[in-house]
Amino acid sequence: QVQLVQSGAEVKKPGSSVKVSCNTSGGTFSSYAITWVRQAPGQGLEWMGGIIPIFGTVNYAQKFQGRVTITADTSTSTAYMDLSSLKSEDTAVYYCARTYCTGGVCPYRGDVWGQGTTVTVSS
Amino acid sequence: QSVLTQPPSVSAAPGQTVTISCSGSSSNIGNNYVSWYQQLPGTAPKLLIFDNDKRPSGIPDRFSGSKSGTSATLGLTGLQTGDEADYYCGTWDSGSLSVVFGGGTKLTVL
């Protein structure tokens, strides 16, 4: 059974960094596209970026360029999202999601989602 | 301001049918597949429809999707109180090279 288990809630100071992990089980890790989406309190979904391990491809939303780093460790089937220079506006639930690559196509649509990680940025 | 435009809310009675629209442009919906997600209160989003009109395994056929030009539509028939949720459309944007979402539509089953 496919499962994505994310790391626990974090409370961070403005200006610091946070690293959220997403451990996947079921299937071959490198055969999937991993996407990261966040949701601020009471707001909609916002795409941050994604990674396709089999191609070594990483894509970032322009809004987060230079502040977010997405990586993947194929040996532990775990993806990571590192967000730096945190501001209060970064307070949100952060989700990872996975989509199987088929026919050489690896969409970031998110077929299976993690449970979410709450990140609170407060002084 | 979301790249894709959805109505903020829709409502209907149990057993009725409702549709949710999602409007975009040629750089996103017009030339890429659309997905739809259901987010029940306090939970992670769940994929309902992918590639415009395909349902993942386990999604009942009460849910349907369609696309025409630069707009997409999610249909729900036989509404149940358990369908009360926020619904989001999403797709790839070839201009910004990013995934874009609609602002979400809150479905109320009266």
Side-chain angles (χ1 to χ4, degrees), chain A residues 39 44-45 47 95 109 111 113-114, chain B residues 37 39 44-45 47 88 98-99:
Chain A
Q39 186 171 37
L45 304 177
W47 188 72
Y95 294 102
R109 66 171 178 253
D111 292 354
W113 292 62
Chain B
Y37 307 85
Q39 187 175 34
L47 182 68
Y88 294 90
S98 63
V99 172

Side-chain angles (χ1 to χ4, degrees), chain A residues 35 37 39 42-47 59-62 95 107-116, chain B residues 35 37 39 42-47 49-51 86 88 92 96-104:
Chain A
T35 194
V37 174
Q39 186 171 37
Q43 302 301 307
L45 304 177
E46 182 174 35
W47 188 72
N59 299 95
Y60 298 119
Q62 188 169 5
Y95 294 102
Y108 284 133
R109 66 171 178 253
D111 292 354
V112 180
W113 292 62
Q115 84 277 18
Chain B
S35 300
Y37 307 85
Q39 187 175 34
T43 70
K46 176 182 177 181
L47 182 68
I49 298 289
F50 68 99
D51 290 359
D86 292 322
Y88 294 90
W92 182 253
S96 61
L97 298 180
S98 63
V99 172
V100 291
F101 291 105

